[in-house]
Amino acid sequence: MAVFLDFEKPVAEMEGKIEELRHLSSQGDLNIVEEISRLQSKVDRMLRQLYANLTPWQKVQVARHPNRPQFLSYLNAIVKDFLPLSGDRCFADDQAIIGGIGRIGTRSVMVIGQQKGNDLESRVKHNFGMAKPEGYRKAIRLMQLADRFALPIVTFIDTAGAYPGIDAEERGQAEAIAKSIETCLRVKVPLISIVIGEGGSGGAIAIAAANAVLMLEHSVYSVISPEGCASILWRSATKAPEAAEAQKLTAQDLYGLGITDKILSEPIGGAHRNPEAVIETVAREIEHYITTFANMDGEALLRHRYDKFLAMGSRGLS
């Protein structure tokens, strides 16, 4: 079912008219193919104009769109012969983070990603993509396994943040996130991360301290959600649009600041309007970056990551 965001109301009305005309046309009473084509061209122009001028808050809404392709969509389309690896060997198997070994193109890789879920049942199963300590400890285990067997690591980022519940804090949430970041920085294999939706706080960077961090055009990446930021600064979540503007959380802002390495284009109207196209783009870029880093030895990869993160803050702030 199509879901329209608040700023897409003019498009929703136009597409509603198109559906009505298609229904009439299917009855064979009217030949209105030309009218449908004209209206569809108008919708395409409206979408192109809308999505070329999105505010940061609107980009947050697009990044959270319920029909936006999630990690499992990419996994099923891109990764062949996937073998899931479960559990942290300590407490439990966290379904917010899924990982395992598979093939991308001709290369064996370790794939790790955050899955939010797209209906009530799957969202509860995956805890809305918010991992607990056992999720990050599973990620650590898989990254160390990849390092041992010289497998490139590919991670997909899509989370509002780590789970903030009491049980997670009791089991060492902060330590698990810190250890996961440390593991990202220490592995001697290529590490490529793609922000496919929402990259929130330490919950995102825990598996994204990578040699290459890519962002989809309408994804966001921030130290805290706009609502959380607004609640702290203004004591009101209604100030979220202002917070989003100040946070510089869009792919375009972060690329300009040197935080991320490349912006991957999305279809007109966002990834949810043409998932196949954006998945194909992501697959192509992953293969490109794996090939780019393939000839670097472990020490060179460590140095590359070291230099990359130390350089952050030296660009785009003036």
Side-chain angles (χ1 to χ4, degrees):
M1 183 179 70
V3 176
F4 294 94
L5 302 171
D6 289 343
F7 64 87
E8 294 180 314
K9 284 181 180 178
V11 175
E13 292 171 3
M14 194 68 64
E15 291 199 345
K17 292 178 182 178
I18 291 173
E19 284 304 312
E20 289 176 10
L21 290 173
R22 282 178 177 156
H23 178 68
L24 291 172
S25 178
S26 67
Q27 294 177 347
D29 297 331
L30 297 170
N31 185 4
I32 49 178
V33 174
E34 289 186 7
E35 179 65 11
I36 291 174
S37 179
R38 185 185 69 81
L39 289 176
Q40 188 61 58
S41 296
K42 187 173 182 179
V43 166
D44 292 343
R45 287 196 302 273
M46 290 171 69
L47 282 172
R48 189 175 287 107
Q49 185 175 7
L50 271 175
Y51 276 77
N53 298 284
L54 293 179
T55 67
W57 178 240
Q58 288 170 337
K59 281 188 176 280
V60 172
Q61 293 175 276
V62 176
R64 295 172 176 171
H65 196 287
N67 294 341
R68 192 174 178 85
Q70 298 184 10
F71 169 56
L72 288 180
S73 300
Y74 292 91
L75 180 68
N76 293 333
I78 295 173
V79 184
K80 308 303 180 188
D81 301 324
F82 180 68
L83 176 66
L85 300 172
S86 302
D88 66 342
R89 301 296 186 267
C90 180
F91 184 80
D93 182 35
D94 190 328
Q95 286 295 306
I97 292 181
I98 298 169
I101 297 172
R103 286 187 298 108
I104 296 179
T106 60
R107 298 178 185 272
S108 295
V109 296
M110 182 68 75
V111 185
I112 304 169
Q114 293 156 330
Q115 174 70 15
K116 284 183 172 180
N118 45 30
D119 57 30
L120 181 58
E121 183 180 356
S122 62
R123 284 169 188 157
V124 170
K125 175 183 177 181
H126 298 290
N127 202 32
F128 297 82
M130 296 186 295
K132 297 179 181 181
E134 49 269 26
Y136 296 109
R137 290 180 179 130
K138 173 166 66 174
I140 291 167
R141 183 173 74 85
L142 299 191
M143 286 189 282
Q144 290 174 340
L145 186 66
D147 195 30
R148 188 179 309 158
F149 291 99
L151 298 175
I153 303 167
V154 181
T155 66
F156 290 78
I157 314 304
D158 190 16
T159 182
Y163 181 65
I166 292 174
D167 58 331
E169 297 297 340
E170 288 175 340
R171 292 199 296 277
Q173 183 73 290
E175 182 272 342
I177 290 172
K179 190 71 175 177
S180 187
I181 295 171
E182 179 187 25
T183 304
C184 286
L185 294 171
R186 286 193 171 185
V187 294
K188 294 184 178 182
V189 294
L191 176 51
I192 298 129
S193 297
I194 309 100
V195 183
I196 57 174
E198 190 177 10
S201 191
I205 198 172
I207 58 171
N211 293 100
V213 179
L214 319 178
M215 287 185 72
L216 291 185
E217 182 181 358
H218 302 308
S219 62
V220 295
Y221 194 19
S222 61
V223 70
I224 190 173
S225 70
E227 295 92 336
C229 179
S231 296
I232 292 170
L233 296 182
W234 290 285
R235 300 290 189 268
S236 173
T238 61
K239 292 285 188 179
E242 289 90 335
E245 182 73 38
Q247 284 181 276
K248 304 298 181 187
L249 46 62
T250 69
Q252 294 73 23
D253 287 329
L254 293 166
Y255 180 74
L257 291 168
I259 305 299
T260 57
D261 300 282
K262 190 169 185 178
I263 301 171
L264 309 185
S265 62
E266 296 187 28
I268 296 169
H272 56 280
R273 286 185 170 267
N274 191 344
E276 293 79 12
V278 78
I279 289 171
E280 183 179 335
T281 297
V282 169
R284 185 170 59 249
E285 292 297 332
I286 289 171
E287 291 193 55
H288 165 72
Y289 277 95
I290 289 176
T291 301
T292 299
F293 293 123
N295 295 326
M296 296 174 67
D297 63 25
E299 292 303 321
L301 288 165
L302 282 175
R303 172 56 61 179
H304 178 274
R305 228 173 285 137
Y306 180 87
D307 292 341
K308 169 189 169 70
F309 281 88
L310 281 184
M312 288 181 183
S314 63
R315 176 176 138 195
L317 295 176
S318 57

